[in-house]
Amino acid sequence: MDEGKAEPQKSIQDFDPQKSPKRNKFAFACAILASMTSILLGYDVGVMSGAVIYIKRDLKLTDVQIEIVVGIINLYSLIGSCLAGRTSDWIGRRYTIVLAGCIFFTGAILMGFSPNYPFLMFARFVAGVGIGYALMIAPVYTAEVSPPSCRGFLTSFPEVFVNGGILLGYISNYGFSKLPLKLGWRMMLGVGAVPSVILAVGVLAMPESPRWLVMRGRLGEATKVLNKISDSPQEAQLRLADIKAAAGIPENCDDDVVEVSNQHRGGDGVWKELLLYPTPAVRHILIAALGIHFFQQASGIDAVVLYSPEIFKKAGLESDGEQLLATVAVGFAKTVFILVATFLLDRVGRRPLLLTSVGGMVLSLLTLGVSLTVIDHSRAGLKWAIGLSIGTVLSYVSTFSVGAGPITWVYSSEIFPLRLRAQGAAMGVVVNRVTSGVISMTFLSLSDKITIGGAFLIFGGVAMCGWIFFFTMLPETQGKTLEEMEGSFGKFAAWSQSKGKKDIDNNAEIQLVH
């Protein structure tokens, strides 16, 4: 055989299947730090569920006042969410996270020193603005630094930390419940300042989002960041090319600093494109994002999380200690199953996990409603009904956490085009918080009017409607880059006809060419 044509000898490694790249540790660390902002919301939600027992006794508040002090923070957070879109486009994603931590720190300190109801309401306002900032920016930043191979895993982290914060709040309730009445609930609320300090310091080690850097024309810095957060140099180049195309920068432009038009930087014209003159794809994206946020909250999750002690009291647990311990169990269930969800998102996909999750929520809510109704109409305590009520509360929060909880934030943060992402994500948070505020500020009154069992039967019906919406309106987004996402939308209902016709024409042209 001719020596020049001899094939090089192959080693055993050449026959092995190509190994999948390891998770990018730097992107992983950035996602953890950014997602820690969600602890702020989780801790506040969890701690208020127990603190209101003692606030009501100390400040001698009515049920309506308790509903307001618990739920109003969701409406206050709208201010932060509305400002966060513009702020993050102006000063960057990273410094917006720092701002969120500083505002919440101030609110937590004020809550801890509240002498009366009006002052407590003011402190809730300050904390709410910080929560609004945190809710909007954490999933956006995480989605923008995550490699496509593990974006679902990393973008689910904000919901993981929400659940971790809720659990910490529940544990704080139980731990400080032994203190004197006037001190206990103030310690519960004031300790919330601790994670915000850790957050503000830790965030300074994070890089800025490469997509924000490109929007500002800082290509050199964006390239350096992408090389750190991508699985390979080739992936970094592809991601940069996609982002440059989305920002209207020529692909062959390699300058460190370039001029980017306002149209692609976000801000001017974004609201017109989102609300007044959307393309079919953008309209579909907006409906999907707002719908998933609405149904996540309208199914009653915050009613369960905020009023768990009240629910367990209605179910038959009489002492504060029993109610708070059962509530800690709710926190553990939520936290464990959100961790399960993080490992399934990039394996199973968003759509099947979401539909399975919401199906489980429907069954749990309807069963919970029936069992609480049986207890309400029974003179003697029925142990089986009490056990079933507690079990279905745990199954409800577990099925919520394995799908509807994390996927809402993952999905809504990844489907918007770059130019619309900050404002689109902010709109989703607004819907989420308004719905949560309405639920949390009316749950006790609704339970008094139609019984607590009737309230959960209504939540079960809403969750059923949510399942139908998700089945018909939400396409799968697993494995797509953020820049490819827009092509997955605009294909349902009335929009599919024109889109489908265009695809048929394109296919016909291709066949004629070949």
Side-chain angles (χ1 to χ4, degrees):
M1 183 180 290
D2 188 358
E3 198 171 343
K5 295 182 181 179
E7 293 184 11
Q9 187 176 0
K10 294 185 178 181
S11 64
I12 189 70
Q13 285 82 2
D14 294 322
F15 296 95
D16 288 341
Q18 189 174 1
K19 295 180 180 178
S20 58
K22 295 181 179 178
R23 293 197 189 280
N24 186 291
K25 293 180 181 178
F26 188 73
F28 189 88
C30 291
I32 288 178
L33 283 171
S35 303
M36 280 181 65
T37 58
S38 301
I39 284 182
L40 307 180
L41 171 64
Y43 184 84
D44 184 84
V45 169
V47 81
M48 284 303 290
S49 70
V52 291
I53 298 173
Y54 307 103
I55 293 172
K56 184 176 181 180
R57 292 174 190 169
D58 185 22
L59 302 182
K60 297 181 174 51
L61 305 181
T62 65
D63 279 349
V64 172
Q65 287 176 309
I66 287 296
E67 283 181 324
I68 293 172
V69 78
V70 168
I72 197 69
I73 201 166
N74 295 298
L75 303 185
Y76 289 156
S77 69
L78 298 181
I79 299 171
S81 296
C82 291
L83 293 174
R86 174 70 71 170
T87 304
S88 66
D89 280 344
W90 177 40
I91 65 173
R93 312 322 195 204
R94 185 173 66 154
Y95 287 113
T96 302
I97 295 173
V98 175
L99 180 62
C102 293
I103 295 173
F104 186 83
F105 172 83
T106 305
I109 294 296
L110 291 174
M111 286 191 291
F113 284 98
S114 296
N116 51 46
Y117 184 71
F119 193 96
L120 180 59
M121 288 293 289
F122 171 71
R124 299 287 285 165
F125 168 77
V126 177
V129 173
I131 285 174
Y133 267 98
L135 270 177
M136 198 291 283
I137 197 59
V140 169
Y141 177 88
T142 307
E144 293 184 347
V145 299
S146 302
S149 61
C150 57
R151 189 178 60 245
F153 175 74
L154 295 180
T155 314
S156 65
F157 275 21
E159 185 69 13
V160 172
F161 279 97
V162 166
N163 284 273
I166 289 171
L167 179 57
L168 288 175
Y170 288 161
I171 294 172
S172 175
N173 286 335
Y174 188 72
F176 291 118
S177 64
K178 311 300 180 186
L179 294 177
L181 178 62
K182 291 185 178 297
L183 179 61
W185 67 265
R186 290 180 171 87
M187 287 295 295
M188 294 174 191
L189 299 181
V191 167
V194 175
S196 61
V197 174
I198 299 171
L199 168 70
V201 174
V203 138
L204 298 177
M206 292 161 43
E208 184 50 82
S209 157
R211 288 177 172 82
W212 183 83
L213 291 171
V214 172
M215 272 199 309
R216 293 290 154 178
R218 293 153 63 176
L219 296 185
E221 294 176 58
T223 302
K224 292 177 182 177
V225 174
L226 282 168
N227 285 330
K228 289 183 177 180
I229 63 174
S230 297
D231 291 333
S232 66
Q234 294 78 14
E235 182 186 287
Q237 292 175 5
L238 288 172
R239 291 174 72 180
L240 179 62
D242 286 341
I243 300 170
K244 284 162 68 175
I249 299 172
E251 186 177 350
N252 58 0
C253 178
D254 294 321
D255 297 337
D256 284 347
V257 180
V258 299
E259 185 69 27
V260 180
S261 67
N262 288 337
Q263 179 183 357
H264 294 96
R265 286 173 61 171
D268 298 339
V270 167
W271 295 112
K272 287 183 180 178
E273 187 173 357
L274 269 175
L275 301 175
L276 299 180
Y277 311 110
T279 63
V282 169
R283 185 187 298 116
H284 186 183
I285 287 171
L286 186 63
I287 292 172
L290 300 188
I292 196 171
H293 275 287
F294 170 78
F295 283 111
Q296 185 208 46
Q297 290 299 326
S299 63
I301 185 61
D302 275 4
V304 172
V305 173
L306 285 166
Y307 297 107
S308 286
E310 184 69 21
I311 295 168
F312 291 130
K313 182 179 178 181
K314 295 283 188 183
L317 301 183
E318 296 180 358
S319 71
D320 290 350
E322 288 178 336
Q323 294 163 19
L324 292 177
L325 271 178
T327 300
V328 170
V330 171
F332 272 111
K334 277 181 65 61
T335 303
V336 167
F337 279 89
I338 189 65
L339 292 173
V340 171
T342 61
F343 293 98
L344 294 178
L345 274 167
D346 288 316
R347 291 179 172 85
V348 177
R350 285 46 156 171
R351 183 179 164 86
L353 199 58
L354 179 64
L355 293 174
T356 303
S357 164
V358 178
M361 289 163 56
V362 171
L363 292 176
S364 298
L365 285 166
L366 295 179
T367 307
L368 177 60
V370 170
S371 60
L372 288 172
T373 301
V374 170
I375 292 171
D376 196 42
H377 287 82
S378 175
R379 294 180 180 178
L382 300 175
K383 290 186 177 180
W384 67 267
I386 295 171
L388 185 60
S389 297
I390 296 171
T392 48
V393 168
L394 295 176
S395 69
Y396 170 64
V397 298
S398 300
T399 51
F400 174 88
S401 290
V402 85
I407 290 174
T408 296
W409 300 102
V410 172
Y411 203 88
S412 61
S413 65
E414 69 184 0
I415 60 178
F416 282 102
L418 171 63
R419 63 192 181 279
L420 310 176
R421 186 165 299 137
Q423 287 79 1
M427 288 180 67
V429 174
V430 168
V431 171
N432 190 285
R433 292 299 88 196
V434 168
T435 310
S436 174
V438 170
I439 296 296
S440 56
M441 293 172 69
T442 59
F443 178 71
L444 294 179
S445 300
L446 181 66
S447 299
D448 288 341
K449 295 291 183 183
I450 63 170
T451 75
I452 194 167
F456 281 107
L457 290 174
I458 289 177
F459 292 148
V462 172
M464 197 178 298
C465 294
W467 191 95
I468 296 170
F469 175 85
F470 300 147
F471 182 80
T472 56
M473 293 296 294
L474 271 59
E476 182 58 74
T477 58
Q478 181 189 16
K480 294 183 172 66
T481 68
L482 296 180
E483 284 64 43
E484 293 171 345
M485 205 68 69
E486 197 170 348
S488 300
F489 289 84
K491 300 177 182 177
F492 294 111
W495 307 316
S496 65
Q497 297 175 5
S498 59
K499 185 81 175 178
K501 185 178 185 300
K502 190 181 293 183
D503 290 341
I504 292 171
D505 292 340
N506 290 339
N507 290 335
E509 289 178 11
I510 292 171
Q511 289 176 356
L512 286 173
V513 169
H514 289 287

